[in-house]
Amino acid sequence: MISKWWEMFRGFAMANLVDSVLTIILTVVLAAVLLALVNWVAHKAKEQVMAAEMEADRRARLRTVISAAKNTLRIAILALAGMGILAGFGIDFGPILAAAGIAGLAISLGAQTMIKDFLGGLIILLEDQYRVGDAISTNGVDGTVERITLRRTNIRTGDGALFIVPN
């Protein structure tokens, strides 16, 4: 009787092992294909931007937006692939997601200013509020915009001082 149970358990374990290995392999392959697709689309978009007739600062702005979108998609794909691999190993990732949600909330509360700067920079870039070379006055600083990133704007005043203003 014990040998009968053992044979049944061994057959069940092998079937689950094959399913797990196939799930993991398919997840890794799908993630690799999606990452390659994201890289290809970002590369083609950057080529289009470089080939288009436009101002250098607008070109830089579009390249920044493309890069931010590419990195966001890559993180999402890798996170989903990680969850798929955990599921393939039979790990219930529901509690992990709950813990990650709580940790994300704590981090977002701590990094509120940085997130606000990032979103402000994205709005500045998308709405084309000001460009490199424009004379602006913000936060008590009057000067010329030297550089715009998603988190900050570099402003050079008339006397040559450089101010870094969060977006």
Side-chain angles (χ1 to χ4, degrees), residues 23-24 27 39 48 56 69 75 86 104 111 138:
T23 300
I24 292 167
T27 301
N39 286 335
Q48 291 289 325
I75 289 170
L86 288 176
T138 182

Side-chain angles (χ1 to χ4, degrees), residues 42-66:
H43 178 73
K44 290 296 181 185
K46 282 184 182 178
E47 282 181 353
Q48 291 289 325
V49 167
M50 296 307 285
E53 291 291 324
M54 64 179 72
E55 298 170 2
D57 63 325
R58 183 171 170 85
R59 180 177 290 123
R61 184 177 297 117
L62 287 172
R63 287 178 50 207
T64 302
V65 170
I66 291 168

Side-chain angles (χ1 to χ4, degrees), residues 83 86 91-101:
M83 288 189 290
L86 288 176
I91 297 173
D92 182 20
F93 54 87
I96 295 171
L97 284 178

Side-chain angles (χ1 to χ4, degrees), residues 61-134:
R61 184 177 297 117
L62 287 172
R63 287 178 50 207
T64 302
V65 170
I66 291 168
S67 179
K70 173 185 165 186
N71 288 334
T72 302
L73 287 172
R74 290 178 69 199
I75 289 170
I77 290 167
L78 290 173
L80 290 173
M83 288 189 290
I85 290 170
L86 288 176
F89 282 122
I91 297 173
D92 182 20
F93 54 87
I96 295 171
L97 284 178
I102 292 170
L105 179 62
I107 290 170
S108 68
L109 288 173
Q112 214 171 17
T113 304
M114 187 170 60
I115 292 169
K116 187 170 47 171
D117 292 343
F118 177 81
L119 292 175
L122 198 58
I123 290 169
I124 288 168
L125 291 172
L126 292 176
E127 290 183 355
D128 200 19
Q129 292 178 358
Y130 53 82
R131 300 177 179 187
V132 172
D134 286 354

